[in-house]
Amino acid sequence: MAASMASQAAARGLRTATSKHLLLDKLKCTWLSPRRWLNLQEYQSKKLMQESGVAVQRFYVADTASEALEAAKRLNAKEIVLKAQILAGGRGKGVFDSGLKGGVHLTKDPAVVGELANKMLGFNLTTKQTPKEGVKVKTVMVAEALDISRETYFAILMDRSCNGPVMVGSPQGGMDIEEVAASTPELIFKEVVDIFEGVQDEQALRMAANLGFKGPLQRQAADQIKRLYDLFLKVDATQVEVNPLGETPEGQVVCFDAKINFDDNAEFRQKAVFAMDDMTESDPTEMEAAKWDLKYIGLDGNIACFVNGAGLAMATCDIIDLHGGKPANFLDLGGGVKERQVYEAFKLLTADPKVEAILVNIFGGIVNCAIIANGITKACRELELKVPLVVRLEGTNVHEAKRILTESGLPITAADNLDDAAKKAVAAIKK
């Protein structure tokens, strides 16, 4: 069965909640993101790179127009770039509710920086990736603008197939690497890194040469590659992607734009990094779910899905869609669940005014179905559940779980299998 629009939307959401897989035939590697997306603004990533000796543009951060003006003067640069700091992409073509067009501006006059910042700070910037109302800009980055004579692509990522880090590069930078891999796979280069030995000089020099750096620039690029690898290890990253890694007319190799993904399992030893997490643009429901180690993805239908596991979640969305229903959201419990998490999950689902029915679909492998059943009955009583509830449970301790639900006396509709559950959830709404 082809994936429905609902499950495709769910899958897109899961990329920021579970793991993101980008498989390129030429690379033969899997790209991983952390379980929960750590949101860093552009200037924060640049600061981490700067601290590791990676060459970046000189920059300052400002929260007011006067600070932006002073920063522009301190830079004393031939040309200055002013960037609104939000997490969404497409800033350059965005529009502010102040009337200003574009969240990225170039100027040679420091005074203009102050004027532009005055029209950015405190105003909402709307791009293709923001909500319709846009996102309020609270910070701007004032940076030295550098000319780029040539753009390349470079990344370090964890690759399951190689059991460790892999460097990936291309002389075709400044564009979507997936397009490069599809159209000109011969321009994608890969170097497997021994996790115990690290990046060797010959590997760094070979990658620099493959990226098209020549003469003294090859050694300079190799040095930047090794510094980026040091950063990768230092912050427990799962991916450091630089696009572009550029060459200037003055003969400098500079990391102009970078994206860093972090391993959430290393949060206990990366407290300084995780303290920078910018949650101001995150969905409040997703943030609340994360407090209870739940993964919540909002959709636009009216049947809430309460599941354990990303694959089961997407299958549930598909089958609801197949029977004429529309998923309102789904909430992934994961493993090792406790009754309190089940209760909090129901609070989140029932808080959504779109929800007209709830479908619980649990396959108890690690999860004990009896814990789920106790959590369900507690939530139904204390939250005074008003919408129809359909429950399908299979696996560990399922007979005890069904006994708990049956003896609860609550209006819970039991389902024999996933198809039966989806049919009953859709039918409950149509009544």
Side-chain angles (χ1 to χ4, degrees), residues 102 111 234-235 239 261 276 318 370 428:
K234 179 181 174 183
V235 300
Q239 176 180 310
N261 291 350
M276 295 191 289
D318 274 343

Side-chain angles (χ1 to χ4, degrees), residues 99-411:
L100 180 67
K101 293 183 179 179
V104 179
H105 287 265
L106 286 167
T107 181
K108 296 181 180 179
D109 185 354
V112 173
V113 171
E115 294 170 8
L116 290 170
N118 199 43
K119 296 177 182 178
M120 291 183 178
L121 291 163
F123 293 97
N124 282 17
L125 174 59
T126 302
T127 77
K128 289 183 178 180
Q129 294 186 15
T130 64
K132 290 181 180 179
E133 68 274 14
V135 174
K136 182 175 286 189
V137 175
K138 299 177 181 179
T139 307
V140 294
M141 185 177 75
V142 185
E144 176 184 25
L146 297 174
D147 291 328
I148 306 176
S149 56
R150 200 173 63 85
E151 296 181 327
T152 73
Y153 172 93
F154 178 74
I156 306 168
L157 52 118
M158 295 301 287
D159 178 18
R160 283 179 181 166
S161 66
C162 298
N163 295 317
V166 172
M167 296 190 296
V168 178
S170 174
Q172 295 294 314
M175 62 180 71
D176 191 334
I177 192 62
E178 293 177 71
E179 291 181 14
V180 177
S183 59
T184 51
E186 70 277 5
L187 295 180
I188 298 289
F189 298 93
K190 172 183 168 183
E191 288 278 348
V192 178
V193 180
D194 186 318
I195 191 69
F196 298 106
E197 300 294 331
V199 177
Q200 302 300 297
D201 287 343
E202 60 269 23
Q203 285 185 300
L205 286 167
R206 185 164 56 244
M207 178 59 76
N210 286 333
L211 296 182
F213 292 103
K214 296 180 174 61
L217 286 176
Q218 182 185 1
R219 174 64 65 177
Q220 192 182 145
D223 178 64
Q224 290 299 303
I225 286 169
K226 295 192 74 171
R227 289 175 187 268
L228 285 165
Y229 182 75
D230 289 342
L231 169 66
F232 179 82
L233 292 183
K234 179 181 174 183
V235 300
D236 285 301
T238 55
Q239 176 180 310
V240 173
E241 182 182 40
V242 182
N243 191 18
L245 175 64
E247 178 182 322
T248 72
E250 295 77 24
Q252 293 177 285
V253 177
V254 179
C255 297
F256 283 93
D257 199 1
K259 178 181 179 181
I260 307 175
N261 291 350
F262 302 87
D263 183 354
D264 280 6
N265 294 306
E267 183 174 359
F268 72 97
R269 67 183 183 195
Q270 295 292 345
K271 296 194 181 299
V273 172
F274 279 78
M276 295 191 289
D277 195 0
D278 189 335
M279 302 294 284
T280 57
E281 297 174 38
S282 299
D283 182 277
T285 307
E286 290 182 18
M287 291 170 60
E288 183 63 25
K291 290 180 184 178
W292 300 98
D293 290 327
L294 304 168
K295 300 179 181 70
Y296 175 92
I297 305 297
L299 300 171
D300 56 4
N302 54 5
I303 300 176
C305 302
F306 181 34
V307 300
N308 64 317
L312 192 60
M314 287 185 279
T316 304
C317 287
D318 274 343
I319 293 182
I320 289 173
D321 191 71
L322 179 68
H323 289 294
K326 295 294 178 185
N329 48 43
F330 69 77
L331 200 147
D332 180 6
L333 281 171
V337 67
K338 298 178 181 177
E339 284 183 31
R340 180 63 188 270
Q341 287 172 289
V342 178
Y343 176 80
E344 295 297 333
F346 266 80
K347 280 179 66 177
L348 289 169
L349 295 177
T350 55
D352 184 347
K354 300 194 307 296
V355 170
E356 296 179 28
I358 297 175
L359 192 163
V360 176
N361 183 24
I362 300 293
F363 183 81
I366 299 173
V367 173
N368 186 328
C369 290
I371 292 176
I372 300 293
N374 282 323
I376 289 173
T377 55
K378 176 182 171 66
C380 288
R381 289 192 177 101
E382 295 188 13
L383 298 175
E384 298 180 350
L385 192 66
K386 299 292 195 301
V387 298
L389 173 62
V390 179
V391 178
R392 178 254 181 169
L393 299 173
E394 289 294 343
T396 304
N397 218 5
V398 67
H399 296 299
E400 174 65 11
K402 288 182 177 179
R403 183 192 65 78
I404 292 169
L405 295 178
T406 301
E407 295 179 1
S408 70
L410 294 165

Side-chain angles (χ1 to χ4, degrees), residues 65-88:
S66 59
E67 287 179 6
L69 174 59
E70 287 304 312
K73 291 177 179 177
R74 284 202 305 275
L75 278 174
N76 192 27
K78 291 181 180 178
E79 193 168 26
I80 303 158
V81 59
L82 178 68
K83 292 186 174 184
Q85 295 297 283
I86 64 170
L87 297 171

Side-chain angles (χ1 to χ4, degrees), residues 32-46:
L32 301 175
S33 298
R35 290 177 290 104
R36 177 180 58 78
W37 196 268
L38 173 60
N39 298 310
L40 293 190
Q41 298 285 2
E42 178 185 7
Y43 75 89
Q44 293 172 314
S45 294
K46 282 185 182 291

